[in-house]
Coordinates of all heavy atoms in Angstrom, one line a residue:
M231 N -34.2 89.7 14.7 CA -33.4 90.9 15.0 C -32.0 90.7 14.5 O -31.4 89.6 14.6 CB -33.3 91.0 16.5 CG -32.5 92.1 17.0 SD -32.6 92.3 18.8 CE -32.4 90.7 19.4
S232 N -31.5 91.7 13.8 CA -30.1 91.6 13.3 C -29.6 93.1 13.2 O -30.3 94.0 13.2 CB -30.1 90.9 12.0 OG -30.9 91.6 11.1
I233 N -28.3 93.1 13.1 CA -27.5 94.4 12.9 C -27.2 94.6 11.5 O -26.8 93.7 10.7 CB -26.2 94.2 13.7 CG1 -26.5 94.2 15.2 CG2 -25.4 95.4 13.4 CD1 -27.2 95.4 15.8
R234 N -27.4 95.8 11.1 CA -27.0 96.2 9.6 C -26.0 97.3 9.7 O -26.2 98.3 10.4 CB -28.3 96.6 8.9 CG -29.2 95.4 8.6 CD -30.4 95.9 7.9 NE -31.2 94.7 7.4 CZ -32.5 94.8 6.9 NH1 -33.1 96.0 6.8 NH2 -33.1 93.8 6.6
I235 N -25.0 97.2 8.8 CA -24.0 98.2 8.7 C -24.2 98.9 7.4 O -24.2 98.2 6.4 CB -22.6 97.7 8.9 CG1 -22.5 96.9 10.2 CG2 -21.6 98.8 8.8 CD1 -21.2 95.9 10.2
N236 N -24.2 100.2 7.4 CA -24.4 101.0 6.2 C -22.9 101.3 5.8 O -22.3 102.2 6.3 CB -25.2 102.3 6.3 CG -25.4 103.0 5.1 OD1 -24.6 102.9 4.2 ND2 -26.4 103.8 5.1
P237 N -22.4 100.7 4.7 CA -21.1 100.9 4.3 C -20.8 102.3 3.7 O -19.7 102.8 3.7 CB -20.8 99.9 3.2 CG -22.2 99.5 2.7 CD -23.1 99.6 3.8
K238 N -21.9 103.0 3.3 CA -21.8 104.4 2.8 C -21.5 105.3 4.0 O -20.9 106.4 3.8 CB -23.0 104.8 2.1 CG -23.2 104.1 0.7 CD -24.4 104.6 0.1 CE -24.6 103.8 -1.3 NZ -25.9 104.1 -1.9
K239 N -21.9 105.0 5.2 CA -21.7 105.8 6.4 C -20.5 105.5 7.1 O -19.9 106.3 7.8 CB -23.0 105.8 7.3 CG -24.2 106.5 6.7 CD -25.2 106.4 7.8 CE -26.5 107.1 7.4 NZ -27.6 107.0 8.4
C240 N -20.1 104.2 7.2 CA -19.0 103.7 8.0 C -17.7 104.3 7.6 O -17.4 104.4 6.4 CB -18.9 102.2 7.9 SG -17.6 101.5 8.9
I241 N -16.9 104.8 8.5 CA -15.6 105.4 8.3 C -14.5 104.5 8.9 O -13.3 105.0 9.0 CB -15.5 106.9 8.9 CG1 -15.8 106.9 10.4 CG2 -16.5 107.8 8.1 CD1 -15.5 108.2 11.1
G242 N -14.8 103.4 9.4 CA -13.8 102.5 9.9 C -13.2 102.9 11.2 O -12.0 102.7 11.4
C243 N -13.9 103.6 12.1 CA -13.3 104.3 13.3 C -13.0 103.2 14.3 O -12.3 103.5 15.3 CB -14.2 105.3 13.9 SG -15.8 104.6 14.6
R244 N -13.6 102.0 14.2 CA -13.3 100.9 15.1 C -14.0 100.9 16.5 O -13.8 100.1 17.3 CB -11.8 100.7 15.4 CG -11.0 100.4 14.2 CD -9.5 100.2 14.6 NE -9.4 99.0 15.4 CZ -9.3 97.7 15.0 NH1 -9.3 97.6 13.7 NH2 -9.2 96.8 15.8
K245 N -14.9 101.9 16.7 CA -15.6 101.9 18.0 C -16.5 100.7 18.2 O -16.5 100.1 19.3 CB -16.5 103.2 18.0 CG -15.6 104.5 18.3 CD -16.6 105.7 18.5 CE -15.8 107.0 18.7 NZ -15.1 107.0 20.0
C246 N -17.1 100.2 17.1 CA -17.9 99.0 17.3 C -17.0 97.8 17.6 O -17.4 96.9 18.3 CB -18.8 98.8 16.1 SG -17.8 98.8 14.5
V247 N -15.8 97.8 17.0 CA -14.9 96.7 17.2 C -14.5 96.6 18.6 O -14.5 95.5 19.3 CB -13.7 96.8 16.3 CG1 -12.7 95.8 16.6 CG2 -14.0 96.8 14.8
E248 N -14.3 97.8 19.2 CA -13.7 97.8 20.6 C -14.9 97.7 21.6 O -14.6 97.2 22.7 CB -13.1 99.3 20.8 CG -11.8 99.4 20.0 CD -11.4 100.8 19.8 OE1 -12.0 101.7 20.4 OE2 -10.4 101.1 19.1
E249 N -16.1 98.0 21.3 CA -17.2 98.0 22.3 C -18.1 96.8 22.3 O -18.8 96.5 23.3 CB -18.0 99.3 22.2 CG -17.2 100.6 22.4 CD -16.6 100.6 23.9 OE1 -17.2 100.0 24.8 OE2 -15.6 101.4 24.1
C250 N -18.2 96.1 21.2 CA -19.1 95.0 21.2 C -18.7 93.9 22.1 O -17.6 93.4 22.1 CB -19.2 94.3 19.7 SG -20.1 92.8 19.7
P251 N -19.5 93.6 23.1 CA -19.1 92.6 24.1 C -18.9 91.2 23.6 O -18.3 90.4 24.2 CB -20.3 92.7 25.1 CG -21.4 93.2 24.3 CD -20.9 94.1 23.3
G252 N -19.4 91.0 22.4 CA -19.2 89.6 21.7 C -18.1 89.6 20.8 O -17.9 88.5 20.2
N253 N -17.4 90.7 20.6 CA -16.3 90.8 19.7 C -16.7 90.3 18.3 O -16.0 89.6 17.7 CB -15.1 89.9 20.3 CG -13.8 90.2 19.5 OD1 -13.6 91.3 19.0 ND2 -12.9 89.2 19.5
L254 N -17.8 90.9 17.8 CA -18.4 90.4 16.6 C -18.0 91.3 15.4 O -18.3 90.8 14.3 CB -19.9 90.4 16.7 CG -20.5 89.4 17.8 CD1 -22.0 89.5 17.8 CD2 -19.9 88.0 17.6
F255 N -17.3 92.4 15.5 CA -17.0 93.3 14.4 C -15.5 93.1 14.0 O -14.7 92.9 14.9 CB -17.3 94.7 14.8 CG -18.7 95.1 14.9 CD1 -19.4 95.1 16.1 CD2 -19.4 95.4 13.8 CE1 -20.7 95.4 16.2 CE2 -20.8 95.7 13.9 CZ -21.4 95.7 15.1
V256 N -15.3 93.2 12.8 CA -14.0 93.4 12.2 C -13.9 94.5 11.2 O -15.0 94.8 10.7 CB -13.5 92.0 11.6 CG1 -13.3 90.9 12.6 CG2 -14.4 91.6 10.4
I257 N -12.8 95.0 11.0 CA -12.6 96.1 9.9 C -12.0 95.3 8.7 O -11.0 94.7 8.8 CB -11.7 97.2 10.4 CG1 -12.3 97.9 11.6 CG2 -11.6 98.2 9.3 CD1 -13.6 98.6 11.4
G258 N -12.7 95.4 7.7 CA -12.2 94.8 6.4 C -11.1 95.5 5.7 O -10.8 96.6 6.1
E259 N -10.7 94.9 4.6 CA -9.7 95.6 3.7 C -10.3 96.8 3.1 O -9.5 97.7 2.7 CB -9.2 94.6 2.7 CG -8.4 93.5 3.3 CD -7.8 92.5 2.2 OE1 -8.1 92.8 1.0 OE2 -7.1 91.6 2.6
D260 N -11.6 97.0 3.1 CA -12.3 98.1 2.5 C -12.3 99.3 3.6 O -13.0 100.3 3.3 CB -13.7 97.8 2.0 CG -14.5 97.1 3.1 OD1 -14.0 96.9 4.2 OD2 -15.7 96.9 2.8
N261 N -11.7 99.0 4.7 CA -11.8 100.0 5.9 C -13.3 100.2 6.4 O -13.6 101.3 6.8 CB -11.1 101.3 5.6 CG -10.8 102.0 6.8 OD1 -10.4 101.5 7.8 ND2 -10.9 103.4 6.8
K262 N -14.0 99.2 6.2 CA -15.4 99.2 6.7 C -15.7 98.2 7.7 O -15.0 97.1 7.7 CB -16.4 99.0 5.5 CG -16.2 100.0 4.4 CD -16.7 101.4 4.6 CE -16.5 102.2 3.5 NZ -16.9 103.7 3.7
A263 N -16.6 98.4 8.6 CA -16.9 97.3 9.6 C -17.7 96.3 9.0 O -18.6 96.5 8.2 CB -17.7 98.0 10.8
H264 N -17.5 95.0 9.4 CA -18.2 93.9 9.1 C -18.5 93.0 10.3 O -17.7 93.1 11.2 CB -17.4 93.0 8.0 CG -17.1 93.8 6.7 ND1 -18.0 93.9 5.6 CD2 -16.1 94.6 6.4 CE1 -17.4 94.6 4.7 NE2 -16.3 95.1 5.1
M265 N -19.5 92.2 10.2 CA -19.7 91.3 11.4 C -19.2 90.0 11.1 O -19.3 89.4 9.9 CB -21.3 91.2 11.6 CG -21.8 92.4 12.3 SD -23.5 92.2 12.9 CE -23.0 91.4 14.5
R266 N -18.5 89.3 12.1 CA -18.0 88.0 11.9 C -19.1 87.0 11.7 O -19.2 86.3 10.7 CB -17.3 87.6 13.2 CG -16.0 88.3 13.5 CD -15.5 87.8 14.8 NE -14.6 88.8 15.5 CZ -13.2 88.9 15.2 NH1 -12.7 88.1 14.2 NH2 -12.4 89.7 15.7
D267 N -20.1 86.9 12.7 CA -21.2 86.0 12.5 C -22.4 86.6 13.2 O -22.5 86.6 14.4 CB -20.9 84.7 13.2 CG -21.9 83.6 12.9 OD1 -23.0 84.0 12.4 OD2 -21.7 82.4 13.1
P268 N -23.3 87.2 12.4 CA -24.5 87.9 13.0 C -25.3 86.9 13.9 O -26.1 87.5 14.8 CB -25.3 88.3 11.7 CG -24.3 88.2 10.6 CD -23.3 87.2 10.9
R269 N -25.2 85.7 13.8 CA -26.1 84.8 14.6 C -25.6 84.8 16.0 O -26.3 84.4 16.9 CB -25.9 83.3 14.0 CG -26.6 83.2 12.7 CD -26.3 81.8 12.1 NE -24.8 81.6 11.9 CZ -24.3 80.5 11.5 NH1 -25.1 79.4 11.1 NH2 -23.1 80.4 11.4
D270 N -24.4 85.3 16.3 CA -23.9 85.4 17.6 C -24.3 86.7 18.4 O -24.0 86.9 19.6 CB -22.4 85.3 17.7 CG -21.8 83.9 17.4 OD1 -22.7 83.0 17.5 OD2 -20.7 83.7 17.0
C271 N -25.0 87.6 17.7 CA -25.4 88.9 18.3 C -26.6 88.6 19.2 O -27.6 87.9 18.7 CB -25.8 89.8 17.2 SG -26.6 91.3 17.8
W272 N -26.5 89.1 20.4 CA -27.7 89.0 21.3 C -28.5 90.3 21.5 O -29.3 90.4 22.3 CB -27.3 88.4 22.6 CG -26.3 89.2 23.5 CD1 -26.6 90.2 24.3 CD2 -24.9 89.0 23.5 NE1 -25.4 90.7 24.9 CE2 -24.3 90.0 24.3 CE3 -24.0 88.2 22.8 CZ2 -23.0 90.2 24.6 CZ3 -22.6 88.4 23.1 CH2 -22.2 89.3 23.9
G273 N -28.2 91.3 20.7 CA -29.0 92.4 20.6 C -28.9 93.4 21.7 O -29.9 94.1 22.1
C274 N -27.7 93.6 22.2 CA -27.6 94.6 23.3 C -27.6 96.0 22.9 O -27.8 96.9 23.8 CB -26.2 94.3 24.1 SG -24.8 94.7 23.0
A275 N -27.5 96.3 21.7 CA -27.6 97.6 21.1 C -26.4 98.5 21.4 O -26.4 99.7 21.1 CB -28.9 98.3 21.4
T276 N -25.3 97.9 22.0 CA -24.2 98.8 22.3 C -23.6 99.4 21.0 O -23.3 100.6 20.9 CB -23.1 97.9 22.9 OG1 -23.6 97.5 24.2 CG2 -21.8 98.7 23.1
C277 N -23.5 98.6 19.9 CA -22.9 99.1 18.7 C -23.8 100.2 18.1 O -23.3 101.2 17.5 CB -22.7 98.0 17.7 SG -24.2 97.0 17.3
V278 N -25.1 100.1 18.2 CA -26.0 101.1 17.6 C -25.8 102.4 18.3 O -25.9 103.4 17.7 CB -27.5 100.6 17.8 CG1 -28.4 101.5 17.2 CG2 -27.7 99.2 17.1
K279 N -25.6 102.3 19.6 CA -25.4 103.5 20.4 C -24.1 104.1 20.3 O -23.9 105.4 20.3 CB -25.6 103.2 21.9 CG -27.1 102.9 22.3 CD -27.4 102.8 23.7 CE -26.9 101.4 24.3 NZ -27.3 101.3 25.7
I280 N -23.0 103.3 20.0 CA -21.6 103.8 20.0 C -21.2 104.4 18.6 O -20.3 105.2 18.6 CB -20.7 102.7 20.5 CG1 -19.4 103.3 21.1 CG2 -20.3 101.7 19.3 CD1 -19.6 103.7 22.5
C281 N -21.8 104.0 17.6 CA -21.4 104.4 16.3 C -21.6 105.9 16.1 O -22.8 106.4 16.2 CB -22.1 103.7 15.1 SG -21.6 104.2 13.5
P282 N -20.6 106.7 15.9 CA -20.7 108.1 15.8 C -21.3 108.6 14.5 O -21.8 109.7 14.3 CB -19.2 108.7 15.9 CG -18.5 107.5 15.3 CD -19.1 106.2 15.8
L283 N -21.4 107.7 13.5 CA -22.0 108.1 12.2 C -23.4 107.5 11.9 O -24.0 107.6 10.9 CB -21.0 107.6 11.1 CG -19.9 108.5 10.7 CD1 -20.4 109.9 10.2 CD2 -18.9 108.7 11.8
N284 N -23.9 106.8 13.0 CA -25.3 106.2 12.8 C -25.2 105.1 11.6 O -26.2 105.1 10.9 CB -26.4 107.1 12.7 CG -26.4 108.1 13.8 OD1 -26.3 109.3 13.6 ND2 -26.6 107.7 15.0
A285 N -24.1 104.5 11.5 CA -23.9 103.6 10.4 C -24.6 102.2 10.7 O -24.6 101.4 9.8 CB -22.5 103.4 10.0
I286 N -24.8 102.0 12.0 CA -25.3 100.7 12.4 C -26.7 100.8 12.8 O -27.1 101.7 13.6 CB -24.5 100.1 13.6 CG1 -23.0 100.1 13.3 CG2 -25.0 98.8 14.0 CD1 -22.1 99.7 14.4
S287 N -27.6 100.0 12.3 CA -29.0 100.0 12.7 C -29.4 98.6 13.1 O -28.7 97.6 12.7 CB -29.9 100.4 11.5 OG -29.7 99.6 10.4
M288 N -30.4 98.5 13.9 CA -30.9 97.2 14.4 C -32.2 97.0 13.7 O -33.1 97.8 13.6 CB -31.1 97.2 15.9 CG -31.5 95.8 16.4 SD -31.5 95.9 18.2 CE -29.8 95.7 18.6
Y289 N -32.3 95.8 13.1 CA -33.5 95.4 12.3 C -34.4 94.5 13.2 O -34.0 93.6 13.9 CB -33.1 94.5 11.2 CG -34.3 94.0 10.4 CD1 -34.9 94.7 9.4 CD2 -34.7 92.6 10.5 CE1 -36.0 94.3 8.7 CE2 -35.7 92.1 9.7 CZ -36.3 92.9 8.9 OH -37.4 92.4 8.1
L290 N -35.6 95.0 13.5 CA -36.5 94.4 14.4 C -37.5 93.5 13.7 O -38.5 94.0 13.2 CB -37.3 95.5 15.2 CG -36.3 96.5 16.0 CD1 -37.2 97.6 16.6 CD2 -35.4 95.8 16.9
G291 N -37.1 92.3 13.5 CA -37.8 91.4 12.7 C -38.9 90.6 13.5 O -39.2 90.9 14.7
A292 N -39.5 89.7 12.7 CA -40.7 89.0 13.5 C -40.2 88.1 14.6 O -41.0 87.8 15.5 CB -41.3 88.1 12.4
D293 N -38.9 87.7 14.7 CA -38.5 86.9 15.8 C -38.6 87.6 17.1 O -38.7 86.8 18.2 CB -37.0 86.5 15.5 CG -36.1 87.7 15.4 OD1 -36.5 88.7 14.9 OD2 -34.9 87.6 15.7
I294 N -38.7 88.9 17.2 CA -39.0 89.6 18.5 C -40.3 90.3 18.4 O -40.5 91.2 19.2 CB -37.8 90.5 18.9 CG1 -37.6 91.6 17.9 CG2 -36.6 89.7 19.1 CD1 -36.8 92.8 18.4
G295 N -41.1 89.9 17.5 CA -42.5 90.6 17.4 C -42.4 91.9 16.7 O -43.4 92.6 16.7
G296 N -41.3 92.1 15.9 CA -41.3 93.3 15.1 C -41.8 93.1 13.8 O -42.3 92.0 13.4
D297 N -41.8 94.2 13.0 CA -42.4 94.1 11.7 C -41.5 94.6 10.5 O -41.9 95.1 9.5 CB -43.7 94.9 11.6 CG -43.4 96.4 12.0 OD1 -42.3 96.7 12.3 OD2 -44.4 97.2 12.0
G298 N -40.2 94.4 10.9 CA -39.2 94.9 9.9 C -38.8 96.4 10.1 O -38.1 97.0 9.3
T299 N -39.2 96.9 11.3 CA -38.7 98.2 11.6 C -37.2 98.2 11.9 O -36.7 97.2 12.4 CB -39.5 98.6 12.9 OG1 -40.8 98.8 12.7 CG2 -38.9 99.9 13.5
S300 N -36.6 99.3 11.6 CA -35.1 99.5 11.8 C -35.0 100.5 12.9 O -35.8 101.5 13.0 CB -34.3 99.8 10.6 OG -34.8 101.1 10.1
M301 N -34.0 100.5 13.7 CA -33.7 101.3 14.8 C -32.3 101.9 14.8 O -31.3 101.1 14.6 CB -33.9 100.6 16.1 CG -33.7 101.4 17.4 SD -33.8 100.4 18.8 CE -32.2 99.7 18.8
I302 N -32.1 103.3 14.8 CA -30.8 103.9 15.1 C -30.9 104.7 16.3 O -32.0 105.0 16.8 CB -30.3 104.7 13.9 CG1 -31.3 105.9 13.6 CG2 -30.1 103.8 12.6 CD1 -30.7 106.8 12.6
V303 N -29.7 105.1 16.8 CA -29.7 106.0 18.0 C -28.8 107.2 17.7 O -27.6 107.0 17.1 CB -29.1 105.3 19.3 CG1 -29.1 106.2 20.4 CG2 -29.9 104.0 19.4
K304 N -29.3 108.4 17.9 CA -28.4 109.6 17.8 C -28.2 110.2 19.2 O -29.1 110.0 20.0 CB -29.1 110.7 16.9 CG -29.2 110.2 15.4 CD -29.7 111.2 14.5 CE -29.7 110.7 13.1 NZ -30.3 111.7 12.1
H305 N -27.1 110.9 19.4 CA -26.8 111.4 20.7 C -26.8 112.9 20.8 O -26.5 113.6 19.7 CB -25.3 111.0 21.1 CG -25.0 109.7 20.9 ND1 -23.8 109.1 21.2 CD2 -25.6 108.6 20.4 CE1 -23.7 107.9 20.9 NE2 -24.8 107.5 20.4
S306 N -27.2 113.5 21.9 CA -26.9 114.8 22.1 C -26.7 115.0 23.7 O -27.6 114.9 24.5 CB -28.0 115.8 21.7 OG -29.3 115.5 22.3
G307 N -25.4 115.1 24.0 CA -25.1 115.1 25.5 C -25.4 113.7 26.0 O -25.1 112.7 25.5
N308 N -26.2 113.8 27.1 CA -26.6 112.6 27.8 C -27.9 112.0 27.3 O -28.5 111.0 27.8 CB -26.7 112.8 29.3 CG -25.4 112.8 30.0 OD1 -24.5 112.1 29.5 ND2 -25.2 113.6 31.0
V309 N -28.5 112.7 26.4 CA -29.8 112.3 25.7 C -29.6 111.4 24.6 O -28.8 111.7 23.6 CB -30.7 113.5 25.4 CG1 -32.1 113.0 24.8 CG2 -31.0 114.4 26.6
L310 N -30.2 110.2 24.6 CA -30.2 109.3 23.4 C -31.5 109.5 22.7 O -32.6 109.3 23.3 CB -30.0 107.9 23.9 CG -28.7 107.5 24.6 CD1 -28.6 106.1 25.0 CD2 -27.5 107.9 23.8
H311 N -31.5 109.7 21.4 CA -32.6 109.8 20.5 C -32.8 108.5 19.8 O -31.9 108.2 18.8 CB -32.5 111.0 19.6 CG -32.3 112.3 20.3 ND1 -33.3 113.1 20.8 CD2 -31.1 112.9 20.7 CE1 -32.8 114.2 21.4 NE2 -31.4 114.1 21.3
W312 N -33.8 107.6 20.2 CA -33.9 106.4 19.5 C -35.0 106.7 18.4 O -36.0 107.2 18.6 CB -34.6 105.4 20.5 CG -33.7 105.1 21.7 CD1 -33.5 106.0 22.8 CD2 -32.8 104.0 21.9 NE1 -32.6 105.3 23.7 CE2 -32.1 104.1 23.1 CE3 -32.5 102.8 21.1 CZ2 -31.3 103.2 23.7 CZ3 -31.7 101.9 21.7 CH2 -31.0 102.1 22.9
I313 N -34.5 106.3 17.2 CA -35.4 106.6 16.0 C -35.8 105.2 15.5 O -35.0 104.5 14.9 CB -34.7 107.5 15.0 CG1 -34.3 108.7 15.7 CG2 -35.6 107.7 13.8 CD1 -33.3 109.6 14.9
F314 N -37.1 104.9 15.4 CA -37.6 103.7 14.8 C -38.3 104.0 13.4 O -39.1 105.0 13.4 CB -38.6 103.1 15.7 CG -38.1 102.7 17.1 CD1 -38.0 103.7 18.1 CD2 -37.6 101.4 17.4 CE1 -37.5 103.4 19.3 CE2 -37.1 101.1 18.6 CZ -37.0 102.1 19.6
E315 N -37.9 103.3 12.4 CA -38.5 103.5 11.1 C -39.1 102.2 10.5 O -38.4 101.3 10.4 CB -37.5 104.1 10.1 CG -38.2 104.4 8.8 CD -37.3 105.3 7.8 OE1 -36.2 105.6 8.3 OE2 -37.8 105.6 6.7
S316 N -40.4 102.3 10.4 CA -41.1 101.1 9.9 C -41.0 101.0 8.4 O -40.6 102.0 7.7 CB -42.6 101.1 10.3 OG -43.3 102.2 9.7
P317 N -41.3 99.8 7.8 CA -41.1 99.6 6.4 C -41.9 100.6 5.5 O -41.6 100.9 4.4 CB -41.6 98.2 6.2 CG -41.4 97.5 7.5 CD -41.7 98.6 8.5
D318 N -43.0 101.1 6.1 CA -43.9 102.1 5.3 C -43.4 103.5 5.5 O -44.0 104.4 5.0 CB -45.3 101.9 5.7 CG -45.6 102.3 7.1 OD1 -44.7 102.7 7.9 OD2 -46.8 102.1 7.5
G319 N -42.2 103.7 6.2 CA -41.7 105.0 6.3 C -42.1 105.8 7.6 O -41.6 106.9 7.8
M320 N -43.0 105.2 8.3 CA -43.4 105.9 9.5 C -42.3 105.9 10.6 O -41.5 105.0 10.7 CB -44.6 105.1 10.2 CG -45.9 105.3 9.4 SD -46.7 106.9 9.6 CE -47.3 106.7 11.2
K321 N -42.1 107.0 11.3 CA -41.0 107.1 12.3 C -41.6 107.4 13.6 O -42.6 108.1 13.8 CB -40.1 108.3 11.9 CG -39.2 107.9 10.7 CD -38.2 109.0 10.5 CE -37.3 108.6 9.3 NZ -36.2 109.6 9.0
L322 N -40.9 106.7 14.6 CA -41.3 106.9 16.0 C -40.0 107.4 16.7 O -38.9 106.8 16.5 CB -41.8 105.6 16.6 CG -42.0 105.6 18.1 CD1 -43.2 106.5 18.5 CD2 -42.2 104.1 18.6
F323 N -40.2 108.4 17.6 CA -38.9 108.9 18.3 C -39.1 108.7 19.7 O -40.2 109.0 20.3 CB -38.8 110.4 18.0 CG -38.7 110.7 16.5 CD1 -39.8 111.0 15.7 CD2 -37.4 110.8 15.9 CE1 -39.7 111.3 14.4 CE2 -37.3 111.0 14.5 CZ -38.5 111.3 13.8
V324 N -38.1 108.2 20.4 CA -38.1 108.0 21.8 C -36.8 108.6 22.4 O -35.7 108.3 21.9 CB -38.2 106.5 22.2 CG1 -38.1 106.3 23.8 CG2 -39.4 105.9 21.7
E325 N -36.9 109.4 23.5 CA -35.7 110.0 24.0 C -35.4 109.4 25.4 O -36.4 109.2 26.2 CB -35.8 111.5 24.2 CG -35.8 112.2 22.9 CD -35.9 113.7 23.0 OE1 -36.1 114.2 24.2 OE2 -35.7 114.4 22.0
T326 N -34.2 109.0 25.8 CA -33.9 108.5 27.1 C -32.7 109.3 27.6 O -31.8 109.8 26.8 CB -33.6 107.0 27.1 OG1 -32.5 106.7 26.2 CG2 -34.8 106.2 26.6
D327 N -32.6 109.3 28.9 CA -31.5 109.9 29.5 C -30.4 108.9 29.9 O -30.7 107.9 30.6 CB -31.9 110.7 30.9 CG -30.8 111.5 31.5 OD1 -29.6 111.1 31.4 OD2 -31.2 112.4 32.2
R328 N -29.2 109.1 29.3 CA -28.2 108.1 29.5 C -27.9 107.9 30.9 O -27.5 106.7 31.4 CB -26.9 108.5 28.8 CG -25.8 107.5 28.6 CD -24.5 108.2 28.2 NE -24.6 108.6 26.8 CZ -24.2 107.9 25.8 NH1 -23.7 106.7 26.0 NH2 -24.2 108.4 24.6
T329 N -28.0 108.9 31.8 CA -27.6 108.8 33.2 C -28.7 107.9 34.0 O -28.4 107.6 35.2 CB -27.4 110.2 33.8 OG1 -28.7 110.9 33.8 CG2 -26.4 111.0 33.1
E330 N -29.8 107.8 33.4 CA -30.9 107.0 34.1 C -30.9 105.6 33.5 O -31.8 104.8 34.1 CB -32.3 107.7 33.7 CG -32.3 109.1 34.2 CD -32.6 109.2 35.7 OE1 -33.4 108.5 36.2 OE2 -32.1 110.2 36.3
S331 N -30.1 105.2 32.6 CA -30.3 104.0 31.9 C -30.2 102.8 32.7 O -30.7 101.7 32.5 CB -29.4 103.9 30.6 OG -28.1 104.0 31.0
N332 N -29.3 102.8 33.8 CA -29.0 101.6 34.6 C -29.7 101.7 36.0 O -29.2 101.1 36.9 CB -27.5 101.3 34.7 CG -27.0 101.0 33.4 OD1 -27.6 100.3 32.6 ND2 -25.8 101.5 33.1
K333 N -30.7 102.6 36.1 CA -31.2 102.9 37.4 C -32.0 101.8 37.9 O -32.1 101.6 39.2 CB -32.1 104.2 37.3 CG -32.5 104.8 38.5 CD -33.1 106.1 38.3 CE -33.6 106.8 39.6 NZ -34.2 108.1 39.4
Y334 N -32.7 101.0 37.1 CA -33.6 100.0 37.6 C -33.1 98.6 37.4 O -32.4 98.4 36.5 CB -35.0 100.1 36.9 CG -35.6 101.6 37.0 CD1 -35.6 102.5 36.1 CD2 -36.1 101.9 38.3 CE1 -36.1 103.7 36.2 CE2 -36.7 103.1 38.5 CZ -36.6 104.1 37.5 OH -37.2 105.3 37.6
Ligands
SF4_981 S1 -18.5 102.5 14.8 FE1 -19.7 102.9 13.0 S2 -18.3 104.2 11.7 FE2 -17.1 103.2 13.3 S3 -16.3 101.3 12.4 FE3 -18.1 100.8 13.4 S4 -19.8 101.0 11.9 FE4 -18.0 102.1 11.1
SF4_982 S1 -26.1 94.4 19.4 FE1 -24.5 94.0 21.1 S2 -23.8 91.9 20.7 FE2 -24.9 92.5 18.8 S3 -23.3 93.3 17.5 FE3 -24.1 95.0 18.5 S4 -22.7 95.3 20.3 FE4 -22.4 93.2 19.5

């Protein structure tokens, strides 16, 4: 599992820098987000959810039973739209209610 930043989408807004609980993001001289050390990421997905441009995706590799699928999250109000795209282009969509996320 790892985080990927799409430099074409990133606008350097710093939300990932401010919200990552591991303080793993920095803004480079190119005004784009970069990770300090991806090995320190524990996969909480906060950055994936917080990025307003969907510039951050999570790669679900074999280490967690994934097959190279990538995951992004889009927002509409309190609904989070989780979009999973497998290497062959197949997409899976899952919606969750943000207000229910810490219920259990
Ligand atoms: S939150 Fe997204 S757009 Fe903002 S700096 Fe981070 S990667 Fe770039
Ligand atoms: S998944 Fe969590 S720990 Fe990893 S980079 Fe994103 S916010 Fe930081």
